[in-house]
Amino acid sequence: MKRVLMTGAAGSVGGMVRPLLTAVYPEIVLSDVKEPQSLRPNETFIPAELTDMAGVERVCEGVDGVVHLGGYSVEGPWESILQSNIIGCYHLFEAARRKGVRRVVFASSNHAVGFYPRAQRIGADVVPRPDSRYGVSKLFGEGLGSLYADKHGLRVLSLRIGNVGERPLDKRRLSIWIKPGDLVQLIRIGLEHSDLRYEVMYGASLNERSWWDNSVAYRYGYRPTGRAEDFRDHALAEQAKLPPDPVGDYFQGGTFCAMEFDGDTDGIWS
Ligand code: 15L
């Protein structure tokens, strides 16, 4: 891996993983609609809109591997999700194929499976239960990754990322938190591991309260070092400031499940 492209480089996750990737790979191409701050000597910024196929092809030029963080990163109106995460994600995989990119690490999300109850432990092979239009768009991206791997030989890793940050923000995040360094470990598995063809893994640190069986990642050598419980007091204090949310607190996806919810509540409160 000589030249690595990161889309969504000006976003918050991009900002956290960027210095760690820049330290590893000789050439980093950063792409986003706005320029990220303080470029290092081995970083080049190329602006692109994911909705512009020609622009996406331009940023893929000469690239060996892509870390695709770009797109709409929360629940939103259908039109925004459609443009950024459906059309934009298709452009990314198709441009990667046309330009001979070898690997793509796709930032999927825990919201692809957010409607699993917190009481249930799930692996990466469960039937998806998206909790939002955003979650559905992430499954579309996972589907594209699988298709381009099987049909075109692209090697793809879909990471169902929990919540990236220096520490878990609340009780839910004690289960799904991932520290930036652990996410970079997973990204490097996606960019470098020789056995990888197509896999789905969870982007979580070493969390005692995890709801996910991440044995696929461990099989590929993932050894997370972040421990959510080290920040338990802070996370629970923050949780205490939040109003109760019967739907969100029951399901793994939290507030994404509660948004616009008018479904069947049997079994939630009883
Ligand atoms: C995500 O997928 C979002 O991108 C992020 O903003 C958080 O909402 C995160 O999930 C989460 O579930 O905490």
Side-chain angles (χ1 to χ4, degrees):
M1 279 292 124
K2 185 162 179 269
R3 192 172 163 91
V4 171
L5 163 67
M6 186 198 298
T7 66
S12 70
V13 175
M16 287 186 266
V17 299
R18 197 182 128 202
L20 303 171
L21 289 177
T22 299
V24 172
Y25 298 106
E27 287 177 42
I28 304 280
V29 179
L30 303 173
S31 186
D32 209 313
V33 281
K34 61 172 195 236
E35 184 163 351
Q37 290 178 341
S38 342
L39 296 197
R40 278 93 169 167
N42 61 337
E43 293 178 327
T44 312
F45 173 62
I46 308 181
E49 290 271 8
L50 287 169
T51 47
D52 169 22
M53 182 65 184
V56 180
E57 280 191 67
R58 231 173 1 256
V59 295
C60 286
E61 201 72 59
V63 159
D64 302 305
V66 178
V67 183
H68 182 42
L69 305 175
Y72 207 83
S73 65
V74 288
E75 176 62 322
W78 170 241
E79 195 51 38
S80 310
I81 300 281
L82 172 67
Q83 294 302 328
S84 300
N85 293 10
I86 304 289
I87 296 171
C89 192
Y90 171 73
H91 286 167
L92 187 280
F93 276 100
E94 179 56 15
R97 182 191 71 79
R98 290 183 194 173
K99 294 296 173 184
V101 172
R102 292 184 286 128
R103 300 212 175 208
V104 173
V105 177
F106 170 60
S108 182
S109 168
N110 69 90
H111 296 288
V113 289
F115 262 123
Y116 276 96
R118 296 184 185 193
Q120 192 172 340
R121 190 171 167 80
I122 56 172
D125 56 352
V126 289
V127 172
R129 290 179 79 173
D131 59 23
S132 46
R133 292 174 289 278
Y134 167 71
V136 173
S137 75
K138 290 298 179 181
L139 288 167
F140 177 77
E142 291 186 11
L144 281 176
S146 175
L147 172 68
Y148 276 72
D150 285 338
K151 191 159 273 192
H152 304 297
L154 196 67
R155 297 183 182 209
V156 180
L157 175 59
S158 291
L159 291 176
R160 289 183 183 159
I161 300 173
N163 190 262
V164 194
E166 291 309 324
R167 58 185 180 175
L169 299 172
D170 53 25
K171 186 169 178 226
R172 175 174 165 267
R173 270 57 169 260
L174 284 172
S175 300
I176 67 164
W177 174 67
I178 182 164
K179 79 168 190 180
D182 289 342
L183 179 55
V184 168
Q185 257 198 61
L186 289 169
I187 290 172
R188 291 193 64 183
I189 289 171
L191 292 177
E192 297 171 33
H193 202 294
S194 54
D195 296 344
L196 185 102
R197 294 287 185 274
Y198 179 76
E199 296 288 359
V200 178
M201 298 177 190
Y202 287 101
S205 283
L206 202 54
N207 303 335
E208 277 177 32
R209 303 175 192 224
S210 179
W211 304 312
W212 306 326
D213 171 356
N214 210 10
S215 47
V216 179
Y218 286 86
R219 251 198 336 269
Y220 278 83
Y222 180 48
R223 298 290 177 267
T225 59
R227 288 179 176 272
E229 288 305 303
D230 291 347
F231 305 94
R232 182 188 53 225
D233 293 348
H234 166 78
L236 295 180
E238 290 302 306
Q239 182 67 38
K241 297 178 193 166
L242 300 172
D245 175 358
V247 175
D249 292 345
Y250 182 82
F251 294 109
Q252 297 188 5
T255 53
F256 283 54
C257 298
M259 263 179 242
E260 303 168 38
F261 183 89
D262 54 8
D264 190 352
T265 53
D266 285 357
I268 297 183
W269 290 286
S270 57

